[in-house]
Amino acid sequence: MPTALKPNTAALLRQSHSNMPMGVADSYRYWGEDNTVFVKSSEGCTITDADDQRYVDFRLAYGPIILGYRDKRVDEQVIAAITERGTMSGFSTDLDSEVVELVKLMCPNIEKMRFANSGTEAVLGAVRTARGFTGRNKIVVVEGGFHGLYDEMMWKSDVDNWDATSGQAPEVASFGAGIPEASREHLETVPLNSFEAIDEVFTRVGDDIAAIVIEPIMGNCGSISATPEYMLKLRELCTERGALLIMDEVKTGFRVAAGGAQELYGMHADLTTYAKAMGNGYPVAAFGGRAEVMDVIGFGKRGVTHGGTYTANMIALSAAKATLTLLNETNAYTTINRTGAAFQQALSRVFTKHGITHRFAGPDSMFGIHFGDIVPSNYRDWKQTDSALYTEFAMNLIKHGVMLEPDSREPWFICEAHKDVDIDWLEGVADRSMAEALAAR
Ligand SMILES: Cc1ncc(COP(=O)(O)O)c(C=O)c1O
């Protein structure tokens, strides 16, 4: 592990401490006094830190970069749009429908859509719409899923502090202070892939369930995925019981396939949330789905309110238009999937050489690595993997120029620009990083 910050980074962190809590603009960017990263520039699949160390980046800003950093094809469209038309007017533009039509072309689950500025906002909009449509309160979420930082979704199954031998479910704990206990009143949490648990919730409170909110491929839990049978079960339960199925595709949307996870599973949600890859790093998000459901958005006592000053601004929409057009009309997904598969093969060779039992989870464009002899089927199973070894390995990778989140719950993200990475180089760095991690044990 890096033992001390390099000089420019250390100076920036010192300065930041007097300006921002924890010295960062987002708490998750604080990696401690010895490891917090300040980025100076980015290009393709690389970022360069304040002390000029360059990294091949598999973190990709938690997933939005799908083509590459500073992709000229997108940037030039955005610059042209805002130069000519301004960044926003607080009125509708022709781009609104143009982008929705592009999304509809790629995602047949979308009949009508609304825009948002972040994944959190998209989830909030979808949940409110589901409640408005059904007239019900309860939301069912899956352990290990993440749906953004608003109070109701800031309750997690605390697997980190869970005793797997206790025979009890993990405690559901808040993300921290400031979250009222009342915000969890309508939240039900189930382990992924358990038919028994979902049946139990529907038996107990089924008539008040507005929606199940699920990442079918958990982008915040090592790409641990729902089985097709489980997704079918959820689809059938929702249809039978009058609840809505909301797929949170903030990470998987426009990444794992043109039509997201729903294309891979061959099924449709009632509502879907998108963000991240939709704009190749520009802040754009959306939620949408069945027209009948979305049409509850409107004014008046029975209408669901949705909007916001920055909604569908020209920066966001021109970026989405350019990104989605490229994803739709080029062979970017083929390149991304081929590259991701090749990286996994190289990493697998390294793990095997060092005698590490390992499993990959999720699709090639967003894969998780688990040290252990099972692909975890839910968050509780993840606890059985050797995540400490993963973190040690990841910290060594970072030291040697490969950036990633040093937590096996965050997958490796692949972008089109990764196609130029020298696989032998990556394999060499991984080999050295694993050797050092094992030596340190
Ligand atoms: C599945 C999922 N939903 C929602 C969010 C929240 O998105 P944002 O950080 O843009 O608010 C995230 C963020 O990582 C996510 O992965």
Side-chain angles (χ1 to χ4, degrees):
M1 273 168 83
T3 49
L5 289 182
K6 290 165 283 183
N8 294 343
T9 301
L12 283 170
L13 186 57
R14 258 196 316 276
Q15 178 191 8
S16 303
H17 271 305
S18 56
N19 295 319
M20 286 168 282
M22 301 168 76
V24 284
D26 167 320
S27 300
Y28 296 102
R29 292 178 199 167
Y30 182 69
W31 286 7
E33 291 304 296
D34 294 338
N35 295 302
T36 295
V37 178
F38 283 76
V39 169
K40 187 157 105 177
S41 65
S42 61
E43 184 176 21
C45 64
T46 65
I47 54 174
T48 300
D49 75 12
D51 289 275
D52 293 320
Q53 182 171 359
R54 198 161 163 267
Y55 304 86
V56 171
D57 187 13
F58 292 97
R59 187 170 168 272
L60 298 182
Y62 291 118
I65 308 300
I66 185 74
L67 298 166
Y69 287 108
R70 284 169 55 203
D71 190 295
K72 281 198 171 45
R73 299 167 296 178
V74 178
D75 292 353
E76 282 170 3
Q77 297 285 326
V78 175
I79 292 163
I82 62 172
T83 306
E84 192 185 324
R85 311 175 60 162
T87 55
M88 59 192 290
S89 64
F91 283 115
S92 297
T93 75
D94 53 335
L95 268 191
D96 305 350
S97 257
E98 239 184 281
V99 175
V100 178
E101 283 171 12
L102 261 173
V103 171
K104 285 163 74 171
L105 200 64
M106 299 168 82
C107 308
N109 49 300
I110 300 296
E111 293 172 356
K112 285 195 174 179
M113 202 176 91
R114 278 287 178 97
F115 292 98
N117 297 296
S118 66
T120 299
E121 230 189 82
V123 171
L124 218 153
V127 167
R128 187 183 298 143
T129 303
R131 285 188 167 128
F133 180 75
T134 58
R136 299 173 177 185
N137 294 303
K138 297 222 175 285
I139 302 296
V140 182
V141 294
V142 166
E143 291 177 0
F146 177 72
H147 304 290
L149 296 181
Y150 75 96
D151 291 355
E152 184 172 31
M153 290 300 187
M154 293 177 73
W155 294 92
K156 61 180 175 194
S157 289
D158 193 8
V159 164
D160 277 328
N161 296 308
W162 174 59
D163 174 4
T165 62
S166 67
Q168 305 288 315
E171 189 197 343
V172 176
S174 81
F175 276 47
I179 299 162
E181 185 70 25
S183 65
R184 67 179 286 195
E185 184 188 349
H186 296 306
L187 204 63
E188 296 283 340
T189 308
V190 294
L192 183 71
N193 289 325
S194 166
F195 282 43
E196 200 186 336
I198 194 75
D199 278 335
E200 187 279 324
V201 174
F202 269 85
T203 303
R204 186 162 41 81
V205 288
D207 291 345
D208 197 28
I209 294 177
I212 299 175
V213 182
I214 182 170
E215 298 171 85
I217 301 161
M218 292 204 286
N220 300 279
C221 200
S223 284
I224 295 170
S225 302
T227 62
E229 297 75 24
Y230 185 72
M231 289 311 299
L232 201 62
K233 164 88 177 169
L234 298 189
R235 180 63 280 173
E236 285 171 1
L237 256 181
C238 284
T239 306
E240 271 167 31
R241 300 297 304 270
L244 298 186
L245 181 58
I246 301 179
M247 290 202 207
D248 184 351
E249 297 228 44
V250 162
K251 273 190 171 167
T252 51
F254 310 110
R255 166 166 288 285
V256 302
Q262 294 174 61
E263 181 177 322
L264 303 186
Y265 282 88
M267 61 187 294
H268 291 175
D270 298 299
L271 291 176
T272 306
T273 54
Y274 299 110
K276 308 220 178 202
M278 187 175 178
N280 193 44
Y282 286 90
V284 57
F287 66 97
R290 283 167 49 204
E292 177 199 11
V293 176
M294 288 299 287
D295 279 337
V296 299
I297 293 177
F299 287 125
K301 208 165 163 225
R302 298 181 65 83
V304 167
T305 300
H306 168 259
T309 304
Y310 295 105
T311 303
N313 67 74
M314 196 50 68
I315 299 170
L317 263 58
S318 58
K321 181 182 167 186
T323 305
L324 297 179
T325 303
L326 285 162
L327 291 173
N328 201 32
E329 294 180 359
T330 68
N331 60 357
Y333 288 120
T334 312
T335 306
I336 290 165
N337 290 335
R338 193 180 50 229
T339 308
F343 290 154
Q344 286 168 81
Q345 283 157 18
L347 291 165
S348 188
R349 284 193 291 275
V350 170
F351 302 149
T352 303
K353 174 182 163 188
H354 289 281
I356 308 296
T357 311
H358 59 280
R359 297 286 181 269
F360 294 97
D364 294 333
S365 56
M366 186 183 119
F367 59 86
I369 299 175
H370 302 282
F371 294 148
D373 57 7
I374 52 155
V375 181
S377 70
N378 58 38
Y379 190 21
R380 298 182 195 186
D381 285 354
W382 171 84
K383 181 95 174 175
Q384 293 169 32
T385 66
D386 192 346
S387 57
L389 176 63
Y390 180 90
T391 296
E392 196 72 30
F393 168 62
M395 291 307 292
N396 291 332
L397 285 174
I398 294 169
K399 189 171 62 181
H400 298 310
V402 171
M403 184 54 76
L404 73 172
E405 193 76 8
D407 184 320
S408 70
R409 284 168 286 198
E410 187 71 8
W412 288 49
F413 291 102
I414 309 301
C415 66
E416 191 184 23
H418 275 125
K419 69 179 187 311
D420 299 325
V421 171
D422 179 346
I423 303 255
D424 291 341
W425 170 82
L426 180 67
E427 193 166 336
V429 169
D431 186 21
R432 192 171 158 202
S433 301
M434 183 53 85
E436 290 169 2
L438 293 172
R441 285 214 137 177

